[in-house]
Amino acid sequence: MRIRSYHSDDCQAILSLFYETVHRINQRDYTQEQIEAWANNNKIDPIAWDLSLIHHKTLVAEMNGIIVGFGDLNGNFLDRLYVHAEYQRRGIATAIMDRLELYVAEQNYVTIVTHASITAYPFFRDRNYQLVKEQQVERHGVFLKNMIMQKKLDIK
């Protein structure tokens, strides 16, 4: 596995990965209506995603030339972390998060914060993220539950 910085040529593959992952993996924790509100190809703006990923600290994981995961930070806020549905439980999210957490610590932030889905909650809990609060977020008129979580970082 190779982890590298994002570039605009990755955007279409990342959008496909995002859509497929939400529809295949998150369906066990969310209704079909919630999945459609979260990841609907007709409502995804590729230009906005590309600009966001460019301006954030975004890492991409590749295996054999295939993008299998990505994660991005806006300051100390982990905005997105997704692993391709066919590549789950292979250490990809862990490898991305190890690098992103190190980057946040190097920027002298004391904590890293994320809004974890129900599906992602155990992953972050196992990485010593603490639950701050549960919340309902609105996406295209539909409410989805997620958890605000944070982790104190070791600053050296």
Side-chain angles (χ1 to χ4, degrees):
M1 176 175 43
R2 179 179 147 216
I3 297 179
R4 60 169 175 80
S5 294
Y6 170 83
H7 49 81
S8 290
D9 292 344
D10 300 326
C11 193
Q12 195 54 53
I14 282 177
L15 290 174
S16 294
L17 182 156
F18 165 72
Y19 179 88
E20 289 297 321
T21 300
V22 170
H23 280 260
R24 291 176 58 193
I25 301 301
N26 297 94
Q27 70 177 350
R28 65 180 173 238
D29 297 308
Y30 293 91
T31 67
Q32 190 59 39
E33 180 186 34
Q34 290 171 320
I35 294 292
E36 285 299 321
W38 182 355
N40 181 319
N41 276 339
N42 295 325
K43 296 177 184 170
I44 294 174
D45 181 348
I47 295 170
W49 268 67
D50 182 46
L51 288 173
S52 173
L53 294 167
I54 287 170
H55 288 98
H56 292 178
K57 172 69 173 176
T58 304
L59 297 179
V60 174
E62 287 183 323
M63 293 178 79
N64 301 319
I66 298 169
I67 293 176
V68 296
F70 73 98
D72 67 306
L73 290 166
N74 185 5
N76 71 327
F77 178 71
L78 176 69
D79 195 2
R80 292 165 282 219
L81 176 66
Y82 290 91
V83 173
H84 190 288
E86 298 294 323
Y87 293 85
Q88 299 276 312
R89 303 208 181 280
R90 297 190 194 183
I92 296 164
T94 296
I96 293 169
M97 283 308 302
D98 287 348
R99 292 197 187 184
L100 290 175
E101 287 175 4
L102 180 61
Y103 175 81
V104 169
E106 289 170 349
Q107 304 307 304
N108 293 316
Y109 286 105
V110 176
T111 61
I112 184 169
V113 178
T114 193
H115 294 179
S117 68
I118 297 167
T119 313
Y121 175 81
F123 171 80
F124 288 106
R125 182 196 59 220
D126 292 348
R127 288 186 67 84
N128 298 315
Y129 282 70
Q130 302 300 312
L131 176 65
V132 175
K133 74 174 188 174
E134 293 182 5
Q135 64 179 0
Q136 296 285 328
V137 296
E138 185 266 334
R139 296 284 181 269
H140 307 290
V142 178
F143 287 89
L144 298 91
K145 177 181 172 181
N146 73 19
M147 281 65 71
I148 299 174
M149 301 184 79
Q150 74 176 9
K151 179 179 181 178
K152 292 187 190 279
L153 299 172
D154 293 328
I155 306 293
K156 294 182 171 95

